[in-house]
Amino acid sequence: MVVKDNRREFSENEKMILYNEVDGRCPICGGVLSHKKSGRIHKTFEIAHIYPANPRPEEQNLLKNEERLSEDVNSLKNVLAVCRICHRKFDTPRTIEEYRLWVRLKKKLLQDAEIKNTYSLFNIEAEITVILQKLNNQTLEEELVQLSYDSLKVDQKANDSLPYAIKRSIKRDVVDYFDYIRRLFIEIDKVTPYKFDTLAAQIKSFYCKCMQINSNQGYVYTAIVNWLDEKTNSYSKKACEIVVAYFIQDCEVLS
Ligand SMILES: [Zn+2]
C-alpha cells in the first residue's frame, strides 16, 4: 500500500516568516537556529507540524478532542520553526502535554506578531518621553506623594485573567507615582493644551486593538508596555510600566 504524504514544501519566504516568528531561536530549547561556516550564515532549523501532517491512527485518537490551530495541516498556523532535536522529541512519542504546550506557544507567537504588525499604525506623542525621563531622575524622590490604597481602581477593573503579581505591581506604581505624573501632565497641558487627552486617546486606541486580539488582561497589560517601550526607543521598560499603571488608574484602560 502506498501511503500518501500530506506534507508540502515551504517556500523560502514562508521559511523566513517562520524563522523570524521565533527570532531565530528554537522556542523550545532556546538554541540558535543558524550557524556560521566558511564566512556564510546557514539556517539550521526544521519546520515541525504541530498537528501531525500524517497522523497515525493512535495519534489521531490521542488528539481527537484537542484544539487545532488550522484545518489545513500545512497552514503556517500549524507549523513551528524548531531545532532538529526538539522536533524529534516532539514527534516521538507524541504526547498530549507537549501538543498543548506547542499550541499555546504558537498561539502566543501568532498574537505577538499580529500586535507588532500594527505598531506602525499606533503612534504616541513625543511628550511621553519627558515623563519617562523624569521617572528615571534621582531628584524624583522628594517629589513623590503616595496615593492612598483606598483610591485604587485596579481591583474593580481586574478580572481573573490579570495575574496577581502584575496587579500588585500596578497598585504599587499607582500609589507611588500617580500624583507625581498627574502634576507633570498638568504642566505639559499648560504648554500644549489637550496634550494629555491626545496621549490618553492614543493609549486607549492601542488598548482597544490589543483587546481585539486577546482580551486576557495580563496579555494586554504586557502588550501595551512593550508597545510603549518600542515607541520610546526602549528607553526604560519600568518607566513604561509606571505610565501604563497611571492610565489604568485614570482612564478606560482595563475596563
Ligand atoms: Zn530545540
mmCIF file of all heavy atoms in Angstrom, residues 26 28-29 83 86, ligand 1:
data_model
loop_
_atom_site.group_PDB
_atom_site.id
_atom_site.type_symbol
_atom_site.label_atom_id
_atom_site.label_comp_id
_atom_site.label_asym_id
_atom_site.label_seq_id
_atom_site.Cartn_x
_atom_site.Cartn_y
_atom_site.Cartn_z
ATOM 1 N N CYS A 26 15.313 28.429 18.695
ATOM 2 C CA CYS A 26 14.337 27.358 18.905
ATOM 3 C C CYS A 26 13.454 27.750 20.104
ATOM 4 O O CYS A 26 13.966 27.973 21.205
ATOM 5 C CB CYS A 26 15.048 26.033 19.182
ATOM 6 S SG CYS A 26 13.904 24.714 19.625
ATOM 7 N N ILE A 28 11.624 26.053 21.891
ATOM 8 C CA ILE A 28 11.513 25.011 22.915
ATOM 9 C C ILE A 28 12.768 24.978 23.794
ATOM 10 O O ILE A 28 12.682 25.024 25.010
ATOM 11 C CB ILE A 28 11.288 23.620 22.273
ATOM 12 C CG1 ILE A 28 10.109 23.664 21.270
ATOM 13 C CG2 ILE A 28 11.055 22.552 23.336
ATOM 14 C CD1 ILE A 28 8.774 24.095 21.834
ATOM 15 N N CYS A 29 13.952 24.919 23.177
ATOM 16 C CA CYS A 29 15.188 24.799 23.967
ATOM 17 C C CYS A 29 16.019 26.075 23.980
ATOM 18 O O CYS A 29 16.971 26.187 24.741
ATOM 19 C CB CYS A 29 16.035 23.635 23.457
ATOM 20 S SG CYS A 29 16.795 23.958 21.851
ATOM 21 N N CYS A 83 14.531 23.409 16.423
ATOM 22 C CA CYS A 83 15.755 22.670 16.101
ATOM 23 C C CYS A 83 15.407 21.203 15.865
ATOM 24 O O CYS A 83 14.326 20.729 16.247
ATOM 25 C CB CYS A 83 16.780 22.820 17.224
ATOM 26 S SG CYS A 83 16.437 21.846 18.689
ATOM 27 N N CYS A 86 14.540 19.033 19.108
ATOM 28 C CA CYS A 86 13.213 19.267 19.698
ATOM 29 C C CYS A 86 12.117 18.734 18.783
ATOM 30 O O CYS A 86 11.083 18.259 19.263
ATOM 31 C CB CYS A 86 13.020 20.757 19.972
ATOM 32 S SG CYS A 86 14.070 21.355 21.313
HETATM 33 ZN ZN ZN B 1 15.307 22.987 20.314
#
